[in-house]
Amino acid sequence: MNVARTHPAGTIDRPLTHDPKKQAPMKPSTSEPTGSATPDLDNRGVTGSRQNRTREMQLIPEALARAHMHERLHDAQRERRAMSLATARRMQRRAERASLRARRALAVAVMQ
């Protein structure tokens, strides 16, 4: 038996199209009562601060990325300093061993 299944035109997570003009208009919910339980407030003085908050919210990821890159830069510099210190110590030990070999060779040459 062949049952045809109909798929919805789109979901909230996966809309059929991302173009808002082609999407179905939003309809008010029938299960929720209409009207507001709280009285409307005067929003004239609030819009400027709301826009500032919105701008700040949009800039948060950029500030976080900048702080992350700053931290990574410091980590890289710390790593470079540690590597150069380790290299300098290694070279110093190598120079000390070479000096010891030269001193021994000179002592052997003088003794003969």
Side-chain angles (χ1 to χ4, degrees):
M1 184 162 157
N2 219 353
V3 176
R5 290 186 179 163
T6 60
H7 293 285
T11 63
I12 291 175
D13 292 332
R14 296 179 187 273
L16 190 62
T17 176
H18 290 287
D19 185 8
K21 291 178 183 173
K22 294 180 182 175
Q23 291 178 359
M26 294 283 290
K27 296 177 186 163
S29 174
T30 55
S31 63
E32 294 179 15
T34 57
S36 176
T38 58
D40 290 337
L41 299 173
D42 185 18
N43 290 341
R44 281 177 284 185
V46 177
T47 54
S49 66
R50 187 173 295 146
Q51 284 175 346
N52 286 340
R53 267 198 312 257
T54 303
R55 191 173 299 119
E56 287 171 11
M57 292 289 281
Q58 288 172 346
L59 294 176
I60 285 174
E62 185 178 331
L64 284 172
R66 193 177 295 115
H68 182 70
M69 289 303 295
H70 187 71
E71 184 74 22
R72 297 281 305 266
L73 185 69
H74 278 289
D75 287 346
Q77 287 173 345
R78 212 174 298 125
E79 184 77 20
R80 275 195 296 270
R81 270 186 253 129
M83 288 296 288
S84 66
L85 182 63
T87 304
R89 285 184 178 156
R90 197 178 314 117
M91 297 296 282
Q92 183 181 5
R93 286 193 300 268
R94 190 178 296 167
E96 287 170 358
R97 284 194 305 268
S99 172
L100 256 159
R101 279 195 305 271
R103 222 181 274 160
R104 280 191 201 123
L106 184 61
V108 167
V110 168
M111 294 294 251
Q112 287 180 352

